[in-house]
C-alpha cells in the first residue's frame, strides 16, 4: 500500500506545485508585512522560521464529509532592526475541486494571548493576517487555529480514501529549521485506517521520505506523527494517511449537486415554458381572421366631390389647383413630367395632355386653362399652370355653392357630410 501511495505522491506533488498559480492543492503560503517607510534596502521576506508545528484533528460531519481542526504554531525569527510588523497565512479555498470552507478561530502568541487578526477571502485564497501596530523583532510565535472541510479524497490509483496534505506548502521563500505534524484520528474513525501511511519532504515532485509513525491512544483513537528538519525555501512536508474506501463522503462537484444548479434549471425551463405559451397564445388567440390577414384603413372623399371642390369647401383655395392637377394625373387625363432644373435649384415640372375624356367637370375646366387648344400630346409648364388657372377657385366656389343647394348636402348623413367615407381594401 505504501508503494501505491508513493506513486500517487508524484501526481499530488504536481497539484502542490501549481497552488501558487491555480490554487488547486491543499497547501498554503505566507509572508510577512513590512513598512514602506522603513529602510529601502530591507526585504520584508528576509527572515527565517525556527520551527513549524502543525496539529490536525480529523473528524466526520453528519453528512459523511471530512472535517479538520488545524492548530499551526510558527516560530519566526525577525531581524532586530525595524522591518516586519507580523505575518500572514494564506490557504487555497478549494482542494481538488472541493470547497475547503476555511474559517479562522484565533491567532495567538505562544502563551495564548490574542494577536491582532484579519481575514480576507478573494480570488480563490483565504488569508489570515496578524498585523501589529509596531515592529516585531527576534523570535515571535504565531499560533493560527482554523477549521477546514472536505480534506480527504478518494483516489482511483490507490482505491482508498486519503488525507494527502502539504503541511507547510511549497511557496515559502524562507527556510524552516524543523517542521512537524501530528494527526489525531478519533476512535470512531480509527477502525477505518488501513495502516498505509507515508511522509515526504522536499520541493514539489520530490520523493524523499521522512519518518512517520502511528500509535494507538487509550481512548481507541490513533495519533500519527511525522517530522523533518532543515527545509530549504520552497520545500514542504507532506503526509499521506489511508482510510478504507467509503469512510468519508466525497464532495459532489457535479452541476446538479448544488441547489443553484437546480434553480438555474428551473429558471431555464420557466423561460422555455413562457416562450411556448406565448407562441401558442399568439397562434390560437391572436391569430388573424381567415382571408383577412391585414386591414388597411383608408379615407376617400364623398361621391361627386373632387379635389378642387374639396379645397374650396375646406377654405384652402391656395391648394385647389395643385390638388386638381394631381387628381387629373391620377385619373390619367394628364401626365406630370420633369422639365429641367430651376435657376436656384429644384426641378421644373410640366403637364402633358393625354386623354381629356377622363376628366370630370372641374378637371375639364383645368385642362381648358392649361391646354386652350385641347390637343393631345401638348405640354405646359408649372408656371403656366398657375397663370392659366387662377380663375378656377372662384368659379368653382360659385359652382359649388349652387351644387350644395341643388344636392341639398344639409340633408345628408353625418358620414357623407364628413371628411370622407371609410373603406377597406
Amino acid at each position: 500500500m505504501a508503494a501505491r501511495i508513493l506513486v500517487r505522491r508524484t501526481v499530488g506533488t504536481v497539484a502542490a506545485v501549481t497552488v501558487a498559480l491555480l490554487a488547486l492543492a491543499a497547501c498554503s503560503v505566507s509572508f510577512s508585512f513590512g513598512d514602506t517607510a522603513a529602510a529601502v534596502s530591507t526585504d520584508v521576506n528576509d527572515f527565517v522560521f525556527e520551527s513549524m508545528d502543525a496539529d490536525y484533528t480529523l473528524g466526520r460531519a453528519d453528512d459523511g464529509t471530512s472535517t479538520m481542526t488545524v492548530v499551526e504554531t510558527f516560530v519566526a525569527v525577525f531581524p532586530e532592526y525595524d522591518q516586519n510588523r507580523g505575518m500572514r497565512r494564506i490557504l487555497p479555498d478549494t482542494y481538488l475541486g472541493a470547497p475547503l470552507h476555511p474559517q479562522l478561530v484565533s491567532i495567538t502568541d505562544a502563551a495564548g494571548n490574542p494577536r491582532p487578526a484579519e481575514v480576507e477571502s478573494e480570488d480563490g485564497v483565504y488569508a489570515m493576517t496578524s498585523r501589529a501596530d509596531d515592529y516585531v523583532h527576534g523570535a515571535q510565535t504565531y499560533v493560527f487555529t482554523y477549521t477546514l472541510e472536505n480534506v480527504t479524497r478518494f483516489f482511483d490509483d490507490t482505491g482508498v480514501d486519503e488525507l494527502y496534505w502539504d503541511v507547510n506548502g511549497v511557496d515559502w521563500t524562507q527556510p524552516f529549521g524543523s517542521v512537524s505534524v501530528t494527526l489525531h484520528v478519533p476512535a470512531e474513525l480509527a477502525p477505518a485506517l488501513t495502516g498505509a501511511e507515508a511522509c515526504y519532504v522536499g520541493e514539489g515532485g520530490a520523493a524523499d521520505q521522512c519518518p512517520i509513525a502511528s500509535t494507538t491512544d487509550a481512548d481507541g483513537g490513533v495519533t500519527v506523527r511525522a517530522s523533518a528538519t532543515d527545509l530549504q525555501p520552497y520545500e514542504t512536508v507532506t503526509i499521506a494517511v489511508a482510510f478504507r474506501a467509503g469512510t468519508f463522503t466525497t464532495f459532489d462537484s457535479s452541476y446538479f449537486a448544488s441547489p443553484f444548479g437546480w434553480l438555474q434549471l428551473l429558471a431555464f425551463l420557466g423561460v422555455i415554458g413562457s416562450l411556448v405559451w406565448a407562441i401558442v397564445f399568439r397562434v390560437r388567440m391572436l391569430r388573424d381572421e381567415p382571408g383577412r390577414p391585414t386591414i388597411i384603413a383608408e379615407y376617400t372623399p364623398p361621391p361627386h366631390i373632387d379635389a378642387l371642390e374639396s379645397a374650396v369647401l375646406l377654405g384652402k383655395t391656395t391648394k385647389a389647383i395643385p390638388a386638381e392637377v394631381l387628381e387629373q394625373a391620377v385619373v390619367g387625363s394628364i401626365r406630370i413630367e420633369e422639365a429641367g432644373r430651376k435657376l436656384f435649384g429644384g426641378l421644373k415640372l410640366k403637364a402633358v395632355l393625354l386623354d381629356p375624356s377622363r376628366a370630370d367637370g372641374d378637371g375639364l375646366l383645368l385642362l381648358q386653362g392649361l391646354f386652350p387648344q385641347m390637343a393631345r400630346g401638348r405640354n405646359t409648364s408649372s408656371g403656366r399652370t398657375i397663370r392659366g388657372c387662377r380663375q378656377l377657385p372662384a368659379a368653382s366656389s360659385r359652382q359649388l355653392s349652387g351644387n350644395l343647394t341643388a344636392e341639398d348636402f344639409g340633408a345628408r348623413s353625418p358620414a357623407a357630410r364628413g371628411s370622407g367615407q371609410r373603406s377597406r381594401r
Side-chain angles (χ1 to χ4, degrees):
M1 179 62 70
R4 295 175 68 188
I5 295 178
L6 181 59
V7 172
R8 201 200 66 76
R9 171 64 169 88
T10 302
V11 177
T13 301
V14 173
V17 171
T18 60
V19 66
L21 300 177
L22 301 177
L24 292 177
C27 61
S28 54
V29 299
S30 71
F31 57 85
S32 64
F33 279 94
D35 187 352
T36 56
V40 294
S41 61
T42 60
D43 181 0
V44 294
N45 289 313
D46 186 16
F47 66 97
V48 300
F49 284 103
E50 181 180 288
S51 64
M52 175 195 175
D53 298 298
D55 187 272
Y56 302 153
T57 300
L58 195 62
R60 183 167 55 189
D62 294 338
D63 60 359
T65 57
S66 55
T67 63
M68 190 161 69
T69 299
V70 180
V71 180
E72 295 175 330
T73 302
F74 293 88
V75 178
V77 181
F78 298 114
E80 293 301 325
Y81 51 85
D82 293 345
Q83 173 181 283
N84 305 96
R85 294 179 182 272
M87 67 170 291
R88 171 182 291 169
R89 179 65 160 153
I90 299 178
L91 308 170
D93 59 12
T94 60
Y95 172 49
L96 297 178
L100 292 175
H101 299 303
Q103 294 292 325
L104 176 65
V105 176
S106 65
I107 303 177
T108 67
D109 60 14
N113 299 313
R115 284 187 178 272
E118 304 172 14
V119 172
E120 186 177 7
S121 179
E122 62 178 354
D123 298 330
V125 297
Y126 184 82
M128 301 170 289
T129 305
S130 179
R131 188 197 321 260
D133 294 333
D134 202 356
Y135 292 100
V136 290
H137 308 98
Q140 297 287 330
T141 300
Y142 295 86
V143 182
F144 292 83
T145 303
Y146 55 91
T147 60
L148 300 171
E149 301 175 10
N150 303 305
V151 295
T152 59
R153 190 78 172 186
F154 174 81
F155 293 98
D156 293 331
D157 57 350
T158 59
V160 295
D161 292 349
E162 291 186 33
L163 173 67
Y164 187 83
W165 209 254
D166 290 342
V167 178
N168 54 317
V170 296
D171 293 292
W172 295 94
T173 61
Q174 297 82 19
F176 284 79
S178 65
V179 174
S180 65
V181 55
T182 301
L183 172 65
H184 303 280
V185 181
E188 61 270 21
L189 295 177
L193 287 165
T194 67
E197 54 195 28
C199 176
Y200 307 93
V201 61
E203 295 182 357
D208 297 338
Q209 297 195 40
C210 47
I212 185 171
S214 58
T215 58
T216 302
D217 302 331
D219 60 357
V222 174
T223 301
V224 182
R225 294 182 175 86
S227 62
T229 59
D230 298 325
L231 277 72
Q232 299 305 306
Y234 309 109
E235 292 185 344
T236 185
V237 170
T238 302
I239 62 170
V241 179
F243 297 82
R244 289 197 304 267
T247 302
F248 301 99
T249 299
T250 301
F251 176 80
D252 187 357
S253 58
S254 63
Y255 182 77
F256 291 110
S258 169
F260 294 103
W262 289 103
L263 289 176
Q264 290 179 346
L265 176 62
L266 292 176
F268 176 76
L269 293 177
V271 171
I272 296 299
S274 299
L275 180 61
V276 172
W277 176 85
I279 293 174
V280 172
F281 186 80
R282 172 64 179 86
V283 172
R284 300 187 60 182
M285 304 300 294
L286 301 179
R287 67 182 183 275
D288 297 323
E289 289 295 332
R292 204 175 52 170
T294 305
I295 299 176
I296 300 176
E298 294 183 343
Y299 295 89
T300 59
H304 314 300
I305 300 295
D306 61 13
L308 185 63
E309 292 174 331
S310 297
V312 174
L313 184 64
L314 296 174
K316 298 182 181 294
T317 58
T318 57
K319 299 181 179 179
I321 294 176
E324 186 64 28
V325 170
L326 292 176
E327 184 175 89
Q328 294 309 306
V330 171
V331 300
S333 65
I334 63 173
R335 181 174 64 241
I336 299 176
E337 299 178 352
E338 294 183 6
R341 303 193 67 84
K342 296 180 180 179
L343 180 61
F344 298 102
L347 292 175
K348 294 181 180 180
L349 301 176
K350 65 180 181 180
V352 180
L353 181 62
L354 298 178
D355 186 1
S357 64
R358 294 176 176 268
D360 56 9
D362 289 331
L364 190 58
L365 289 175
L366 174 71
L367 297 182
Q368 291 173 350
L370 292 175
F371 310 98
Q373 299 178 1
M374 298 297 287
R376 296 188 181 185
R378 295 294 298 272
N379 60 75
T380 183
S381 66
S382 58
R384 183 176 176 182
T385 299
I386 298 174
R387 290 193 300 271
C389 301
R390 287 178 177 173
Q391 74 277 15
L392 289 180
S396 180
S397 179
R398 291 191 297 270
Q399 182 179 355
L400 180 59
S401 298
N403 290 342
L404 290 176
T405 303
E407 297 177 9
D408 192 15
F409 271 74
R412 288 174 174 263
S413 65
R417 193 170 59 245
S419 61
Q421 295 175 337
R422 183 172 181 177
S423 65
R424 292 177 179 172
R425 180 179 298 172

